[in-house]
C-alpha cells in the first residue's frame, strides 16, 4: 500500500479516543454523585474506587490524581449551571432572573459539598478552584447585565454593583444550605428583590444604566 493510500485509511485510535472520552465522562458522572454531599477530604481514592466499582488505577489513568478528578467533576458540574444561566433569552426579564436564581439555588442545594468548596476557594489557596468560582461569578454578572441592560459592555459602577450582589448571593446561599429553614422559592424571591435594590442603586449612581421596569418600585 502506498503512503498516500495509508493516510486515507481511518485510524482505529479514533474509536479508542471516543471510548476513552465516554469512559471519562462516565467516571465524572459517578463522581458527581459521590461528591454531591461529601467533602473532598472525606473520601479517599480507595473509597472512590470502591463506591464507583472501578479499579483505582483507572481513575489515576484519566485524571492523574484525586485532586485532578475532583476538579474535573467540579468543572463539569459548574458548566451545567453556567450554560443554563446563559439560556432563556426569549423569556421576559423578570422570568429569566427568577429562572436563573432558581437553578442556582437548586444546584447549590443538590451539590452542597461542591458549592462550599467553590465559594470558599478550595483547600487553602487553590488557584484552580478560585478560577472556577470567578468564572461562575462572571457568568452570573453577564446574565444579569444582558437581562437588565441588553448588553455586557456595562460601566465599572454597574459591574461592581452586580459583582457585589453576586458575592452577597454566595454568602446567603451558604447560610441557606446550612440551615434549610426557608423554601427555595422564598430564598429565590429574597435574592431577586435584593437584585432590584442593587439595580436601582446602580441607576442612582450611574443614570446611563437605568433599572429595568421589573426592578422599579412603581412596577
Amino acid at each position: 500500500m502506498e503512503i498516500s493510500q495509508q493516510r486515507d485509511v481511518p485510524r482505529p485510535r479514533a474509536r479508542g479516543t471516543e471510548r476513552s472520552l465516554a469512559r471519562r465522562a462516565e467516571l465524572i458522572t459517578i463522581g458527581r454523585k459521590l461528591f454531591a454531599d461529601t467533602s473532598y477530604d472525606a473520601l479517599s481514592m480507595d473509597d472512590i474506587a470502591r463506591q464507583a466499582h472501578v479499579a483505582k488505577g483507572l481513575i489515576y489513568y484519566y485524571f492523574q490524581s484525586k485532586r485532578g478528578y475532583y476538579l474535573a467533576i467540579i468543572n463539569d458540574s459548574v458548566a451545567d449551571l453556567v450554560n443554563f444561566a446563559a439560556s432563556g433569552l426569549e423569556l421576559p426579564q423578570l422570568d429569566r432572573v427568577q429562572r436563573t436564581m432558581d437553578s442556582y439555588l437548586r444546584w447549590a442545594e443538590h451539590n452542597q459539598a461542591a458549592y462550599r468548596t467553590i465559594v470558599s476557594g478550595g483547600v487553602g489557596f487553590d488557584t484552580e478552584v478560585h478560577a472556577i468560582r470567578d468564572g461562575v461569578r462572571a457568568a452570573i454578572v453577564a446574565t444579569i447585565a444582558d437581562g437588565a441592560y441588553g448588553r455586557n459592555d456595562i460601566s465599572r459602577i454597574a459591574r461592581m454593583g452586580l459583582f457585589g450582589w453576586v458575592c452577597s448571593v454566595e454568602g446567603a446561599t451558604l447560610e441557606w444550605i446550612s440551615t434549610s429553614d426557608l423554601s427555595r422559592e422564598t430564598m429565590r424571591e429574597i435574592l431577586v428583590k435584593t437584585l432590584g435594590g442593587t439595580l436601582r442603586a446602580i441607576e442612582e449612581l450611574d443614570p446611563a444604566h437605568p433599572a429595568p421596569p421589573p426592578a422599579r418600585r412603581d412596577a
Side-chain angles (χ1 to χ4, degrees):
M1 182 181 291
E2 296 179 1
I3 294 176
S4 60
Q5 292 176 313
Q6 289 177 347
R7 289 174 180 169
D8 295 331
V9 175
R11 297 183 179 182
R13 185 179 178 184
R15 293 194 295 273
T17 299
E18 291 174 3
R19 287 196 296 269
S20 295
L21 291 174
R23 187 56 169 150
R24 185 179 186 276
E26 181 184 354
L27 289 172
I28 289 176
T29 298
I30 292 170
R32 285 180 63 164
K33 295 177 181 177
L34 291 177
F35 284 108
D37 295 310
T38 306
S39 68
Y40 175 84
D41 293 325
L43 287 175
S44 67
M45 283 294 279
D46 288 329
D47 294 331
I48 295 168
R50 183 174 63 255
Q51 294 188 48
H53 304 291
V54 299
K56 184 166 62 175
L58 187 66
I59 300 174
Y60 280 116
Y61 174 77
Y62 283 105
F63 305 100
Q64 288 74 56
S65 66
K66 175 186 170 183
R67 181 174 179 277
Y69 184 41
Y70 190 61
L71 286 174
I73 292 165
I74 294 293
N75 268 308
D76 184 76
S77 186
V78 165
D80 288 345
L81 173 64
V82 169
N83 289 336
F84 188 84
S87 64
L89 296 175
E90 73 287 355
L91 296 173
Q93 291 172 321
L94 182 58
D95 290 346
R96 187 183 179 196
V97 170
Q98 289 177 329
R99 177 178 180 270
T100 297
M101 284 296 93
D102 192 75
S103 65
Y104 182 94
L105 292 170
R106 189 185 299 273
W107 189 88
E109 186 178 19
H110 294 290
N111 299 272
Q112 294 189 20
Y115 185 80
R116 289 189 179 95
T117 295
I118 294 169
V119 172
S120 65
V123 180
F125 189 82
D126 193 323
T127 56
E128 289 183 82
V129 175
H130 282 193
I132 294 172
R133 180 196 62 194
D134 292 347
V136 173
R137 287 175 174 173
I140 298 298
V141 167
T143 296
I144 300 303
D146 278 336
Y149 309 117
R151 64 186 193 276
N152 275 320
D153 57 334
I154 56 178
S155 70
R156 180 63 174 166
I157 289 176
R159 190 169 300 280
M160 187 58 71
L162 294 180
F163 179 81
W165 173 77
V166 169
C167 291
S168 72
V169 167
E170 292 174 353
T173 302
L174 276 177
E175 176 67 15
W176 176 67
I177 62 176
S178 297
T179 59
S180 299
D181 56 347
L182 294 175
S183 68
R184 187 173 65 250
E185 292 75 16
T186 299
M187 193 64 194
R188 180 195 66 206
E189 289 308 305
I190 290 172
L191 299 179
V192 170
K193 288 183 181 301
T194 57
L195 173 59
T198 297
L199 292 171
R200 290 192 296 273
I202 290 171
E203 178 182 15
E204 183 178 341
L205 295 170
D206 185 355
H209 290 77
R216 308 196 74 81
R217 292 192 182 279
D218 55 357

